[in-house]
Amino acid sequence: MTYRVVVVRKSYISTIKTTSGERPHKETKSRSHFKFIFLQTNKNMVSVTSEASRSRSKKVCVIGAGPAGLVSARELRKEGHKVVVLEQNGDVGGQWLYQPNVEEEDPLGRSSGSINGELKVHSSIYSSLRLTSPREIMGYSDFPFLAKKGRDMRRFPGHKELWLYLKDFCEAFGLREMIRFNVKVEFVREEEEEDDVRRWIVRSKEKLNGKVLEEIFDAVVVATGHYSHPRLPNIKGMDFWKRKQIHSHVYRVPDPFRNEVVVVVGNSMSGQDISMELVEVAKEVHLSSKTLDISSGLSKVISKHPNLLIHPQIESLENDGRVIFVDGSWVVADTILYCTGYSYKFPFLESKGRIEVDDDRVGPLFEHTFPPCLSPYLSFVGIPRKLIGFPFFEAQAKWIAQVLSGKSSLPSSDQMLQSVAEFYRSRDLAGVPKHNTHDIADFTYCDKYADYVGFPHLEEWRKLLCLSALNNSQENLETYRDSWDDHELLQEALQSSHFTNLNS
């Protein structure tokens, strides 16, 4: 007997073709919540993936050597693919490679005058930035983020410590040999299809000598991050306001704002952090927030610092320097600092409209990873936000690597598009703005996603430590990184296999 196997996951269907004459036989359910429908024929059962397709190696270009790009390179190589990583900076780290010199960048991070819409500065890290999550939850599944003597051993270390962790990861798995540094990707486009084979043309330029190289790859993985291109609000008078306006993308240290009246726009973690730093040097700091229903932690900070004031959103900016808020109050400011987030941009990607960024909705992307009409030979790692990033990126990378080698399969293009449409509808019905499409904030989704490749679910201690830190920050904004009460959870984490099986 031969069987045809149809793999069904919710509304997604993937089919392995065999001979004709199938008929339904039986249905069962796997541990990972997939349904396998076995259809009987006249020959022996075929496996979901043949040995030939399983060993199929691809030449893959990974764009970016940050957290998403590094783990992608590792997983692709483990799956037998030939990998080239193109990194625009001189070292690994991506966003975590601190760039203190921002003088050449436009203060608002506008890229309209630059080549291909690219910015000159990739990192948006400011000097004093510390992690908002404890180090225990941030490591890749098999490479814990350990405190090391002689380095920043705090549970919520500064940005340099995470960069060093990424360098350690790169060294431990021999990834540097795959990376070309100081190489800027100028364009990526699909080659004319021949014999149903899809390939990609990648043109890159060496920043030091200007040498341009065009190469052909079987697949491209985009791992460029999404914290570089500023997202700016549309405020009346903004284009004509004559005083200083900058985005947090180019903020590094507070000293340039000494004795100034500063309006900080945006009550995110960066907006709060920067405001707390500025109150020590600025004359006044006015924090403009979408809502005045603020956390008790921020309320404590405001009561402690008389020169830190909270305001609603800005109504308009006036030529005399006034910043007028929607409640009618106003202040004459020296500087407006926009902590208003970042946008997704892929200026190098020529997709003929098949991948677009619409108000920060990147799509269509099946499970935030594969564009249906270009899959699996174009994929994205690191698009989702508001989740425990490193393990999720690792799961994405494993999935991509296995799909490219043939170990895993994807639904048809139409079925993936249907899935994306259903996801968009669910977000719309939930009242989620389009620009928050990729803000997941859902442990259940992370676990469901891991099932695609048999990746372990997030450990319970990892979830609880994440929630504990978040709750602590809501109550104790100034001190949560250095004072906590999750000692029992911490001990449970440190006794888990994630930390004890270091040699496995």
Side-chain angles (χ1 to χ4, degrees):
M1 292 291 179
T2 300
Y3 293 81
R4 184 183 182 202
V5 183
V6 181
V7 184
V8 183
R9 180 176 178 126
K10 293 187 177 178
S11 61
Y12 322 140
I13 303 174
S14 178
T15 303
I16 304 299
K17 296 180 180 178
T18 64
T19 58
S20 60
E22 302 92 348
R23 61 183 178 84
H25 180 59
K26 66 177 180 177
E27 179 179 302
T28 185
K29 196 169 186 177
S30 74
R31 290 177 59 190
S32 60
H33 311 299
F34 285 93
K35 291 180 180 179
F36 293 85
I37 304 172
F38 295 92
L39 304 169
Q40 186 174 330
T41 66
N42 297 322
K43 298 184 180 179
N44 295 327
M45 180 182 290
V46 296
S47 63
V48 173
T49 305
S50 69
E51 289 300 324
S53 63
R54 185 172 294 162
S55 61
R56 199 175 299 146
S57 175
K58 303 289 192 303
K59 182 181 179 183
V60 186
C61 176
V62 176
I63 304 177
L70 290 175
V71 76
S72 295
R74 186 188 74 164
E75 296 305 320
L76 286 161
R77 188 176 64 181
K78 282 168 62 176
E79 198 60 31
H81 302 295
K82 181 180 179 181
V83 184
V84 174
V85 182
L86 301 182
E87 168 54 47
Q88 63 181 335
N89 289 312
D91 208 340
V92 301
Q95 193 60 227
W96 298 98
L97 180 60
Y98 178 61
Q99 295 176 272
N101 300 317
V102 294
E103 292 80 6
E104 295 185 6
E105 190 76 286
D106 180 271
L108 288 173
R110 288 170 168 160
S111 57
S112 56
S114 61
I115 299 174
N116 287 340
E118 292 279 9
L119 297 173
K120 295 180 179 179
V121 176
H122 179 69
S123 176
S124 300
I125 298 292
Y126 45 93
S127 178
S128 65
L129 184 141
R130 291 176 64 183
L131 304 188
T132 58
S133 299
R135 68 163 70 235
E136 297 84 28
I137 75 171
M138 295 194 65
Y140 298 114
S141 67
D142 58 352
F143 196 74
F145 187 10
L146 300 173
K148 296 189 175 183
K149 290 184 179 180
R151 297 197 341 202
D152 187 346
M153 299 181 67
R154 294 173 295 180
R155 289 190 67 202
F156 295 78
H159 57 83
K160 183 179 180 180
E161 182 66 10
L162 186 53
W163 173 64
L164 291 172
Y165 167 79
L166 292 171
K167 285 175 69 72
D168 291 343
F169 179 77
C170 187
E171 179 70 22
F173 294 98
L175 305 181
R176 189 171 288 267
E177 63 189 35
M178 294 186 283
I179 306 171
R180 299 180 196 163
F181 293 106
N182 293 306
V183 173
K184 189 83 167 180
V185 175
E186 295 197 326
F187 75 69
V188 174
R189 72 163 181 256
E190 191 179 15
E191 188 185 38
E192 292 298 325
E193 196 170 327
E194 295 182 10
D195 301 324
D196 295 325
V197 176
R198 178 173 277 161
R199 294 188 179 90
W200 292 86
I201 301 171
V202 177
R203 186 173 73 193
S204 60
K205 183 177 182 179
E206 294 185 17
K207 294 170 69 175
L208 302 181
N209 59 23
K211 180 181 177 181
V212 175
L213 182 65
E214 270 194 20
E215 299 171 272
I216 303 296
F217 291 90
D218 297 312
V220 173
V221 177
V222 180
T224 52
H226 47 73
Y227 292 111
S228 288
H229 293 271
R231 179 180 173 88
L232 293 166
N234 184 17
I235 299 174
K236 181 182 177 183
M238 181 176 172
D239 291 338
F240 306 101
W241 204 67
K242 294 181 172 61
R243 303 193 178 194
K244 186 165 59 176
Q245 298 182 76
I246 74 167
H247 190 275
S248 57
H249 169 65
V250 297
Y251 175 86
R252 292 298 181 265
V253 293
D255 198 63
F257 306 92
R258 188 170 297 277
N259 299 321
E260 287 191 354
V261 175
V262 182
V263 174
V264 176
V265 181
N267 186 19
S268 62
M269 292 302 293
S270 62
Q272 294 175 7
D273 271 359
I274 291 173
S275 294
M276 289 190 294
E277 187 168 70
L278 289 175
V279 293
E280 303 297 335
V281 299
K283 182 179 178 181
E284 295 174 4
V285 178
H286 298 265
L287 179 59
S288 172
S289 175
K290 286 183 179 179
T291 175
L292 299 183
D293 183 17
I294 59 176
S295 69
S296 59
L298 180 57
S299 181
K300 292 175 186 177
V301 174
I302 292 173
S303 63
K304 179 180 176 181
H305 298 280
N307 62 332
L308 176 59
L309 302 99
I310 187 81
H311 296 271
Q313 289 183 282
I314 297 173
E315 175 71 28
S316 65
L317 305 180
E318 305 297 327
N319 288 334
D320 59 3
R322 284 183 300 156
V323 178
I324 301 178
F325 302 98
V326 294
D327 63 355
S329 63
W330 56 270
V331 62
V332 177
D334 298 296
T335 299
I336 300 176
L337 200 165
Y338 296 98
C339 298
T340 48
Y342 297 88
S343 291
Y344 298 91
K345 288 192 178 181
F346 312 99
F348 53 82
L349 184 59
E350 299 180 13
S351 69
K352 299 179 181 178
R354 291 171 291 183
I355 295 294
E356 294 184 336
V357 182
D358 178 13
D359 191 18
D360 285 333
R361 174 179 283 178
V362 185
L365 289 181
F366 177 60
E367 299 291 16
H368 309 273
T369 305
F370 290 103
C373 60
L374 296 170
S375 64
Y377 304 109
L378 179 68
S379 57
F380 295 77
V381 177
I383 294 292
R385 298 181 293 204
K386 295 191 176 180
L387 40 67
I388 302 178
F390 287 24
F392 190 87
F393 302 159
E394 189 177 355
Q396 278 190 298
K398 284 181 180 292
W399 189 27
I400 292 168
Q402 292 184 12
V403 168
L404 288 175
S405 68
K407 278 187 180 177
S408 298
S409 59
L410 292 173
S412 71
S413 177
D414 287 345
Q415 290 156 350
M416 287 191 281
L417 285 169
Q418 179 185 350
S419 168
V420 174
E422 290 173 357
F423 172 68
Y424 288 170
R425 281 195 294 271
S426 71
R427 300 296 267 178
D428 293 341
L429 289 172
V432 177
K434 184 180 288 186
H435 67 264
N436 295 131
T437 293
H438 303 291
D439 293 358
I440 304 302
D442 186 351
F443 294 137
T444 303
Y445 177 78
C446 296
D447 289 344
K448 184 198 81 168
Y449 195 100
D451 288 337
Y452 278 115
V453 288
F455 192 69
H457 287 186
L458 285 172
E459 304 93 334
E460 198 64 24
W461 57 261
R462 205 186 288 249
K463 299 175 185 178
L464 294 175
L465 281 177
C466 178
L467 293 174
S468 175
L470 180 62
N471 292 334
N472 196 11
S473 70
Q474 293 292 304
E475 292 296 322
N476 305 291
L477 184 59
E478 276 192 304
T479 62
Y480 78 95
R481 292 180 177 94
D482 297 305
S483 179
W484 54 85
D485 59 1
D486 59 357
H487 301 285
E488 290 185 6
L489 277 175
L490 176 59
Q491 290 307 308
E492 180 183 345
L494 295 178
Q495 292 168 15
S496 71
S497 59
H498 177 66
F499 290 98
T500 57
N501 292 347
L502 297 181
N503 296 320
S504 62

